[in-house]
């Protein structure tokens, strides 16, 4: 007899439907599998056979042939076990007719017949819902993320025996219930902890407002890491749709705990400088998302930028440009979203003390140059704001005055972002943040008055600004004007924008 059950496989963040067909025939014992199955899927035979034996179904006197369709999609992972076992039960005549119809089954079986949790259940269910699937059975340990998907009747199962009872109509599988959303407790890192560093705080606010990537340069202990950690708290809260996407990516990476509900916080990822290219942009078996995708809708922080492998930094160029990572596989192209704010930090030289005014820097000019040349030019090209942080003044550390807190700054950031969104909604521009404005859009929304144009031309000549740097100054000036609530880009906006391009101004070269 032939029976079929619905399952799915993930390619990147995309779920592809897979129909699991099982034909049971009289004959010598045989368990064959066809349909482009990778290693872990083929091993499924061993697990399914043993799990079936646990519910009293011994396949010793029949031949089972499993077909995973469509045959041209490569199937990976262990998530087909449940569908294969269910279809086998159907093919062996152990289930009522239509018991499997219309239901998606995903889950791995142990030899004992228990159902094991999987990575990527949320992405699987979102994909299934988009295809019109209305009922699904998933591992009980994945209940929290599965319950986030509205519009699908999601049931959870702990063992094959439990599934068999339910499919025979003798019991009901429990509905996946949603854990309470974690209280949006105030972020532990607040901007009011940062003393002094007015330029750094301002740069952070501008970066958050316009979606501009940021590089902070300063001596050890100036507060670079401290400031970077506070950037997610300056961004507007995630919408439900964004939060679902973020949670789905973290689920595919296997980073969700069993009780994890919706990720409401903007991600903050700070990979160590020894991170590999695959670790940073994704790939490997599965493939799995890299740090750029784990930072999607949040912040990717590269601390000690000069220490990162050049190849890893070069690999960042494509995702930074496109907002998405494409990983080529033999059969299909896996994609993961990667829209993030990049924040980098570095010391001005190898010892870290160059230009701190105390003269304790021991680096020779050659050593300083060697340290700087480690930075990848193409990566620097994708960073709009460069700012130098001075050492923190002791009076700022000791004084009673605390700076503004994150909530106050976030209010201005949200306002500036709303202005940019409205421009996009009115179709004046095609991008929702100033950082990604196309040159044609920029000409329209960052028109300079005569004085502003003169100031920018003088800067171009004096600093030998490239055409790309010119565009970046204009984009920054647009953001600064938006923060001020000004429709026109005025000379003082341009002046501040030029000030945020430290590397163009050669300020560091002068210090060397
Ligand atoms: N502006 C500041 N206000 C208050 N505390 C600060 C400030 N800057 C630094 N500190 C204190 O110094 C510690 C180290 O700061 P942080 O790690 O941010 O420095 P850094 O610039 O990243 O240094 P490094 O170059 O060594 O990585 C912080 O944990 C904090 O206690
Ligand atoms: Mg640091």
């Amino acid at each position: 007899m032939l029976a079929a059950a619905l399952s799915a496989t993930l390619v990147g963040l995309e779920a592809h439907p897979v129909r699991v067909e099982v034909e049971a025939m009289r004959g010598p014992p045989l368990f064959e599998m066809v349909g482009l199955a990778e290693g872990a899927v083929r091993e499924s035979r061993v697990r399914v056979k043993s799990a079936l034996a646990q519910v009293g179904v011994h396949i010793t006197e029949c031949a089972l042939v499993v077909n995973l369709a469509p045959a041209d999609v490569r199937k990976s992972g262990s998530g087909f076990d449940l569908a294969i076992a269910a279809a086998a039960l159907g093919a062996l005549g152990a289930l009522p007719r239509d018991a499997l119809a219309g239901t998606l089954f995903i889950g791995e079986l142990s030899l004992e017949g228990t159902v094991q949790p999987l990575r990527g259940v949320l992405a699987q269910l979102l994909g299934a819902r988009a295809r019109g699937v209305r009922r699904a059975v998933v591992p009980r340990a994945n209940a929290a993320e599965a319950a986030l998907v509205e519009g699908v009747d999601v049931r959870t199962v702990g063992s094959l025996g439990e599934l068999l009872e339910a499919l025979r109509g003798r019991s009901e599988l429990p509905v996946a219930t949603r854990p309470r959303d974690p209280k949006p407790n105030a972020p532990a890192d607040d901007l009011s902890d940062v003393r002094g560093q007015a330029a750094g705080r301002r740069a952070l606010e501008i970066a958050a407002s316009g979606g501009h990537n940021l590089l902070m340069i300063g001596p050890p202990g100036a507060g670079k890491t401290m400031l970077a950690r506070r950037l997610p708290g300056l961004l507007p809260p995630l919408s439900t749709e964004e939060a679902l996407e973020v949670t789905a990516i973290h689920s595919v990476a296997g980073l969700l705990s069993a009780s994890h509900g919706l990720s409401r916080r903007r991600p903050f990822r700070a990979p160590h400088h020894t991170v590999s290219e695959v670790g940073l942009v994704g790939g490997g078996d599965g493939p799995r998302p890299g740090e750029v995708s784990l930072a999607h809708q949040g912040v990717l922080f590269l601390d000690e930028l000069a220490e990162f492998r050049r190849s890893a930094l070069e690999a960042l160029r494509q995702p930074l440009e496109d907002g998405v990572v494409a990983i080529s596989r033999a059969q299909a192209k896996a994609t993961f979203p990667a829209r993030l704010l990049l924040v980098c930090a570095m010391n001005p030289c190898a010892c870290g003390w160059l230009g701190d005014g105390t003269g304790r820097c021991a680096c020779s000019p050659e050593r300083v140059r060697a340290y700087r040349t480690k930075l990848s030019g193409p990566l620097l090209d994708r960073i709009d704001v460069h700012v130098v942080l001075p050492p923190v003044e002791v009076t700022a550390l000791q004084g009673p005055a605390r700076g503004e807190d994150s909530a106050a700054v976030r209010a201005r950031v949200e306002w500036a972002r709303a202005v940019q969104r409205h421009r996009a909604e009115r179709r004046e521009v095609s991008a929702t943040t100033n950082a990604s404005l196309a040159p044609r859009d920029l000409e329209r929304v960052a028109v300079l008055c005569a004085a502003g144009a003169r100031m920018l031309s003088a800067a171009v000549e004096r600093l030998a600004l490239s055409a790309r740097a010119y565009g970046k100054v204009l984009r920054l000036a647009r953001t600064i004007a938006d923060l001020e609530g000004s429709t026109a880009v005025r000379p003082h906006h341009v002046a501040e924008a030029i000030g945020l391009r430290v590397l163009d101004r050669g300020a560091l070269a002068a210090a060397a």
Side-chain angles (χ1 to χ4, degrees), residues 131-289:
R131 292 193 305 276
V133 172
R134 290 290 163 261
R135 199 178 148 86
V137 177
V138 305
R140 186 148 303 138
N142 294 118
E145 60 176 298
L148 298 173
V149 182
E150 284 166 7
V152 180
D153 178 12
V154 184
R155 304 299 174 115
T156 70
V157 67
S159 71
L160 186 59
E162 200 187 330
L163 181 68
L164 182 59
E165 286 297 289
L167 291 175
R168 283 176 168 164
R170 294 183 190 155
S171 64
E172 279 271 317
L173 291 175
V175 174
T177 49
R178 197 170 173 157
R180 268 183 300 154
D181 278 356
K183 275 199 219 97
N185 43 358
D189 296 328
D190 197 278
L191 204 56
S192 57
D193 304 335
V194 179
R195 302 297 183 108
Q197 298 303 13
R201 295 173 68 109
R202 175 72 177 157
L204 215 57
E205 180 172 338
I206 291 168
S209 298
H212 303 286
N213 296 329
L214 168 70
L215 169 64
M216 291 182 281
I217 304 166
K224 301 181 295 295
T225 303
M226 235 183 143
L227 280 166
R229 289 199 170 280
R230 283 152 182 80
L231 183 52
L234 303 187
L235 298 170
L238 290 173
S239 68
T240 301
E241 206 174 305
E242 289 168 341
L244 272 175
E245 201 179 18
V246 167
T247 314
I249 296 170
H250 288 243
S251 158
V252 171
L255 296 179
L256 289 193
S257 64
S259 60
H260 200 299
L262 199 57
S263 302
R264 282 284 180 189
R265 281 206 187 167
R266 297 245 171 210
F268 179 84
R269 301 291 303 182
H272 189 253
H273 58 72
T274 52
V275 68
S276 69
E277 210 176 306
V278 166
L280 205 50
V281 300
D285 195 24
R288 302 228 185 175

Side-chain angles (χ1 to χ4, degrees), residues 10-16 123 252 286-289 327 329 333-336:
L10 280 180
V11 181
L13 204 56
E14 244 175 71
H16 293 256
V252 171
R288 302 228 185 175
I327 302 163
R329 311 290 288 168
K333 206 180 209 178
T335 58
F336 289 110

Side-chain angles (χ1 to χ4, degrees), residues 414-436:
E414 289 193 33
W415 159 265
R417 286 199 164 224
V419 171
Q420 295 165 65
R421 217 172 30 249
H422 287 153
R423 266 200 298 269
E425 280 161 10
R426 287 198 307 266
R427 297 183 183 276
E428 285 173 39
V429 295
S430 51
T432 50
T433 57
N434 289 335
S436 32

